[in-house]
Amino acid sequence: MNAAYDARVLVVAKAPVPGRVKTRLGATLGMADAARLAAAALLDTVVAATAAVGADRCVLALDGDLSTAVDGAALTDAVRGWTVVPQRGDGLAERLVAAHADADAGPGPVVQVGMDTPQVTAALLLEVAAGLDRASAVLGAAADGGWWVLALRDPGRAELLRGVPMSTPETGAATLSALVAAGLTVGATATLRDVDHHDDAAAVAASAPGSAFARAWAEVSGLHVGPGEREQG
């Protein structure tokens, strides 16, 4: 088996519309600037996924409509050749299960990421996929206790996410427990920092200086002295 060659990449994301994305970041920077950063983060993620496996092996499970999003034209162009499907289900866990089912278009594993880690690279996505040659799942921890990537040799096993509490400091541990309890062997990969707050955005931008996110952060943060404070004079 060559999981890195056979893998599909699934991105689960919201259309970056002000007030619908990055609201915790928006509480300090403003919703428009937060959506601009979300758009850049999604663009970086899409570019990395396409570079890793090719557009024809990429799926975007989207909540919302890119035509109404910040930088919607650039994002629409970036996902040209992708399969784009609407998210389905109530709550994040059900939406993740449905997205994996929608991405399960044939033999081969699925590597699923969100839009909160714009520092991800094609090489890292391929490394995660290659981990499925040795394990039936690969789970990448996020610094806040969640996870940023879940790769499954059998995408149908995403059903195990039902009932896992999402968006909590225990989500990573609970997901790992659910996978192991079902008999899956679980490999690990790099821990990444999600962009949820002002300090996260600054740190992630610094770690990926050539990214669209870093460029957007430089422009947005230039308008702010600190969290929520505009420059004076």
Side-chain angles (χ1 to χ4, degrees):
M1 178 180 181
N2 187 336
Y5 178 80
D6 294 333
R8 292 182 296 283
V9 175
L10 165 64
V11 177
V12 179
K14 288 183 179 181
V17 174
R20 295 197 70 243
V21 293
K22 296 295 168 206
T23 54
R24 285 175 289 181
L25 195 57
T28 58
L29 295 177
M31 295 301 172
D33 283 344
R36 184 178 177 188
L37 290 170
L42 179 54
L43 180 60
D44 284 326
T45 305
V46 166
V47 168
T50 302
V53 299
D56 61 329
R57 297 191 67 80
C58 290
V59 179
L60 173 63
L62 183 67
D63 177 9
D65 187 344
L66 291 181
S67 69
T68 64
V70 174
D71 291 335
L75 288 167
T76 298
D77 186 63
V79 297
R80 198 173 307 280
W82 284 46
T83 299
V84 180
V85 297
Q87 290 184 22
R88 301 181 289 114
D90 296 325
L92 179 55
E94 285 194 16
R95 286 171 178 253
L96 290 174
V97 172
H100 277 266
D102 290 337
D104 190 8
V110 167
V111 177
Q112 183 257 308
V113 295
M115 59 186 290
D116 296 336
T117 51
Q119 70 272 48
V120 70
T121 63
L124 184 51
L125 291 173
L126 289 173
E127 178 184 307
V128 170
L132 294 175
D133 288 334
R134 303 177 296 276
S136 46
V138 175
L139 186 66
D144 62 2
W147 50 266
W148 69 270
V149 65
L150 173 62
L152 292 168
R153 191 184 295 170
D154 174 5
R157 303 310 297 273
E159 285 284 343
L160 296 169
L161 295 175
R162 293 190 191 277
V164 173
M166 295 291 163
S167 304
T168 78
E170 292 74 43
T171 295
T175 302
L176 178 60
S177 294
L179 298 173
V180 172
L184 275 65
T185 55
V186 184
T189 188
T191 297
L192 295 187
R193 185 169 183 170
D194 283 347
V195 175
D196 289 320
H197 302 284
H198 184 279
D199 290 348
D200 299 326
V204 169
S207 73
S211 63
F213 185 83
R215 292 191 294 273
W217 175 249
E219 295 170 1
V220 167
S221 62
L223 302 174
H224 299 266
V225 176
E229 297 178 5
R230 295 283 182 181
E231 287 185 332
Q232 303 296 316

